[in-house]
Amino acid sequence: VQLVESGGGLVQSGESVSLACEVTGFILDSYAVAWFRQAPGKKREALAAISPKDGRTHYGDSVMGRATISSDNGQETVHLQLNNLMPGDTAKYYCAADHFFPNSDFWEQRTSWNYWGQGTQVTVSA
């Protein structure tokens, strides 16, 4: 099982970023995938999760209304679009996967996700 993130970089406040998580070693629609981020000195924060099989999603409060998670099962890729970026969005963004789609009580916990990518850095300038 391997997850590889891409799409990070330097963006200006107010702009959008589209991140991709390409998965290999498993069939995407048999797993759940989530996006997290971690800024220096802060805890890893859950942003969004999706069940590619049936389209169920969760979104974190910090990105509600600004983020869209989607899956392209044919390309084995999960995307995260984040709009209206602010300097506070600067972080390393990670995707994670697990066999089960956690319910709303557990999806934000790191321990609900067994497979992790290496992350991609997003830096937002003021």
Side-chain angles (χ1 to χ4, degrees):
V1 175
Q2 188 174 10
L3 299 92
V4 178
E5 302 93 338
S6 62
L10 177 64
V11 295
Q12 294 187 343
S13 292
E15 293 184 341
S16 301
V17 69
S18 182
L19 305 178
C21 174
E22 183 177 2
V23 305
T24 57
F26 62 91
I27 299 173
L28 183 58
D29 66 4
S30 64
Y31 279 67
V33 178
W35 281 96
F36 285 71
R37 69 184 178 190
Q38 189 165 19
K42 294 189 176 181
K43 292 173 56 177
R44 194 165 293 193
E45 174 189 20
L47 302 178
I50 189 167
S51 170
K53 182 175 183 179
D54 56 22
R56 287 177 292 163
T57 58
H58 295 304
Y59 286 96
D61 290 342
S62 66
V63 296
M64 188 75 71
R66 297 195 295 133
T68 303
I69 189 170
S70 60
S71 67
D72 183 339
N73 294 5
Q75 295 296 319
E76 303 295 314
T77 301
V78 171
H79 298 274
L80 179 72
Q81 172 94 9
L82 189 58
N83 300 320
N84 193 22
L85 288 164
M86 299 170 283
D89 293 313
T90 295
K92 196 163 189 179
Y93 285 68
Y94 299 87
C95 66
D98 200 80
H99 299 277
F100 304 103
F101 184 63
N103 65 28
S104 57
D105 292 331
F106 297 104
W107 80 275
E108 294 175 286
Q109 299 176 15
R110 290 182 63 171
T111 53
S112 293
W113 305 92
N114 281 306
Y115 306 101
W116 290 84
Q118 294 300 306
T120 184
Q121 178 69 34
V122 175
T123 301
V124 184
S125 63

